[in-house]
Amino acid sequence: MTVSEYNNCVDSYSYAVYRFLLKNTRDEDLAKDLVQDSFLKLWVKRKDVDGKKSKSYLFSTAYHTMIDNIRKNERKDDFDPYKHDVETESRGFSDLKEILDEAVQKLTPIQRSVVMLRDYEGYSYKEIGDITELSEAQVKVYIYRARLILKKYLVSPETVY
């Protein structure tokens, strides 16, 4: 990959990668940090990456960087003696986007990732499998199960009021 191809990659895909990471992490600062880490990793490996496959490599790198971060933070959370799980009784959603965001957060990280890659980014099952290192069949199963969870959540009486 040449420097101009790298710069073109940054211009073309930085917002899409940010949007993907933001939907999964729900933390703007963390998403920005993960985007920077992903592009840094691409820069380091630029001589080994084909410019035509930079988008796939970038999303794969971003996905794995996010998973590494989640695993690291889970270990930290295990040792937090002051952690309390408090749910709010009143959710007062103002629009459909908030309801959808809440529904997506009910998914496991892998389900959320494959659904985002498929429905938001438009990747094929094979491409998602390459990015997440899952088989095409596993990707289909995760997406199917995630959609069932979303459907169940979105049509539940507690959500619709």
Side-chain angles (χ1 to χ4, degrees), residues 34-59:
L34 293 173
V35 168
Q36 283 188 330
D37 289 346
S38 301
F39 276 105
L40 177 63
K41 290 177 183 178
L42 177 62
W43 177 256
V44 169
K45 298 278 187 175
R46 72 186 179 280
K47 293 179 182 172
D48 300 331
V49 176
D50 181 14
K52 296 174 185 144
K53 296 184 179 183
S54 61
K55 180 180 180 184
S56 177
Y57 181 86
L58 184 61
F59 270 89

Side-chain angles (χ1 to χ4, degrees), residues 125-141:
Y125 294 118
K126 183 178 181 337
E127 291 172 323
I128 295 169
D130 292 341
I131 290 171
T132 59
E133 297 178 355
L134 297 169
S135 71
E136 199 171 328
Q138 288 174 309
V139 169
K140 289 178 182 179
V141 168

Side-chain angles (χ1 to χ4, degrees), residues 94-124:
S94 64
D95 65 356
L96 181 61
K97 183 185 179 318
E98 289 180 21
I99 295 171
L100 288 173
D101 287 344
E102 180 75 20
V104 168
Q105 289 309 308
K106 299 291 183 190
L107 303 174
T108 65
I110 186 65
Q111 288 174 332
R112 187 171 34 244
S113 295
V114 295
V115 166
M116 293 295 160
L117 288 169
R118 178 73 178 161
D119 295 337
Y120 283 84
E121 301 300 330
Y123 279 102
S124 69

